[in-house]
């Protein structure tokens, strides 16, 4: 909102504490299935993966995770926004593809199968999955690798379609490694984040909310830390 975007927060269930300037919308308008798909690790991320693809297929919106901070406008003139997670893997925390994208078409169809056999997995895994399917006990995606409907699928699809050429280095949207998530809460790391991690072409910062919450850093945000400075700038009170 600060950078002039019209931001829509989609939800299936009632929300509280929605910031001013945020548009809310029923997620069923995009993906009607509100029987949330839960991975064996307890995360609903696979459902978000499916929703994300439906959003890109049915609208001209950019998908942005709720823990993705906008530092600069997300380059709306680009036909694709595909960030690298590291030097090899992609992420879908920010994602934009054209509705005519071959990769999007492939992914949109792939996630309709709740018992998929991913073509990118090792041969031994494919043999196991095929054997289970032949024996009448197909393995649901919720029991497969966590990234099956997310980054793994994205990487395979854009490589097959050559759209991976649009992918941007990790520092553009993920300058902070997940292993250093605590840095945003501690003042002594602020200069390192601002001067070393964030580059001139950095547009966003993934805040790794799951790690931050799980490890209690939201309760230990220091004055002068990156998170405190950003919250002050946006006008968010971290104590509420």
């Amino acid at each position: 909102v600060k950078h002039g975007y019209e931001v829509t927060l989609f939800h299936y269930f009632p929300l509280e504490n929605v910031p001013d300037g945020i548009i809310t919308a029923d997620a069923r308008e995009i993906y009607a299935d509100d029987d949330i798909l839960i991975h064996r690790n307890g995360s609903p991320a696979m459902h978000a993966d499916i929703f994300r693809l439906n959003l890109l297929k049915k609208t001209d919106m950019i998908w942005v995770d709720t823990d993705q901070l906008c530092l600069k406008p997300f380059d709306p003139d680009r036909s694709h926004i595909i960030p690298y997670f590291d030097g090899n893997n992609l992420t879908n925390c920010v994602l934009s593809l054209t509705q005519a994208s071959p990769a999007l078409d492939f992914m949109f169809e792939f996630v309709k199968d709740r018992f998929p056999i991913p073509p990118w997995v090792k041969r031994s895994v494919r043999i196991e999955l095929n054997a289970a399917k032949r024996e009448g006990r197909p393995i649901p995606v919720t029991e497969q690798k966590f990234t099956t409907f997310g980054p793994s699928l994205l990487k395979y699809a854009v490589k097959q379609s050559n759209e991976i050429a649009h992918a941007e280095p990790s520092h553009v949207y993920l300058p902070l490694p997940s292993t250093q998530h605590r840095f945003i809460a501690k003042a002594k790391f602020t200069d390192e984040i601002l001067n070393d991690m964030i580059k001139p072409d950095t547009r966003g910062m993934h805040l790794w909310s799951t790690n931050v919450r799980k490890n209690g850093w939201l309760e230990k945000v220091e004055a002068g830390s990156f998170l405190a400075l950003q919250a002050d700038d946006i006008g968010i009170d971290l104590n509420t």
Side-chain angles (χ1 to χ4, degrees):
V1 173
K2 176 189 173 185
H3 289 281
Y5 278 111
E6 182 179 274
V7 179
T8 302
L9 177 60
F10 290 95
H11 61 102
Y12 286 105
F13 309 108
L15 294 176
E16 297 179 351
N17 300 323
V18 177
D20 292 340
I22 301 292
I23 300 166
T24 58
D26 188 341
R28 297 169 188 84
E29 297 174 6
I30 300 296
Y31 182 58
D33 190 350
D34 60 3
D35 183 14
I36 305 298
L37 193 66
I38 303 295
H39 189 259
R40 66 186 176 196
N41 68 6
S43 170
M46 282 187 162
H47 194 92
D49 291 332
I50 300 170
F51 181 91
R52 177 179 8 242
L53 297 175
N54 276 265
L55 181 80
L56 297 181
K57 191 66 179 171
K58 298 173 183 179
T59 76
D60 60 357
M61 293 181 175
I62 299 172
W63 166 273
V64 184
D65 279 8
T66 54
D67 59 345
Q68 181 73 30
L69 180 67
C70 182
L71 298 175
K72 294 180 181 178
F74 287 172
D75 205 354
D77 294 330
R78 292 181 65 90
S79 62
H80 296 63
I81 296 177
I82 306 171
Y84 270 102
F85 171 81
D86 53 27
N88 181 53
N89 299 297
L90 300 177
T91 178
N92 53 12
C93 62
V94 180
L95 190 63
S96 180
L97 300 167
T98 67
Q99 291 178 334
S101 160
L104 180 57
D105 285 341
F106 176 83
M107 293 188 288
F108 188 72
E109 293 301 319
F110 184 87
V111 298
K112 292 178 180 178
D113 186 354
R114 293 295 188 270
F115 304 91
I117 300 176
W120 60 84
V121 297
K122 292 189 297 184
R123 182 172 178 271
S124 59
V125 176
R126 290 200 306 274
I127 290 173
E128 178 185 351
L129 292 172
N130 275 302
K133 189 172 184 178
R134 285 195 306 270
E135 295 167 7
R137 51 176 187 85
I139 299 175
V141 69
T142 51
E143 296 296 320
Q144 298 185 33
K145 192 173 180 180
F146 181 59
T147 58
T148 299
F149 276 179
S152 295
L153 172 59
L154 174 64
K155 181 180 178 181
Y156 177 83
V158 297
K159 284 183 70 175
Q160 294 299 305
S161 68
N162 293 321
E163 290 168 273
I164 197 168
H166 295 281
E168 299 179 87
S170 58
H171 73 263
V172 178
Y173 291 102
L174 289 90
L176 178 74
S178 61
T179 54
Q180 296 174 345
H181 61 272
R182 72 188 186 283
F183 282 24
I184 64 173
K186 297 182 71 65
K188 70 177 182 179
F189 294 116
T190 300
D191 285 344
E192 181 177 349
I193 293 173
L194 294 176
N195 299 323
D196 298 333
M197 294 184 179
I198 294 177
K199 311 295 183 183
D201 58 341
T202 297
R203 296 185 177 278
M205 168 75 82
H206 196 67
L207 299 178
W208 305 110
S209 64
T210 298
N211 301 38
V212 169
R213 286 197 306 267
K214 181 175 66 177
N215 293 305
W217 288 108
L218 274 183
E219 289 72 45
K220 295 179 285 188
V221 177
E222 297 176 359
S225 66
F226 177 81
L227 191 57
L229 293 176
Q230 293 296 323
D232 288 344
D233 184 49
I234 297 171
I236 293 176
D237 184 353
L238 294 179
N239 297 315
T240 62

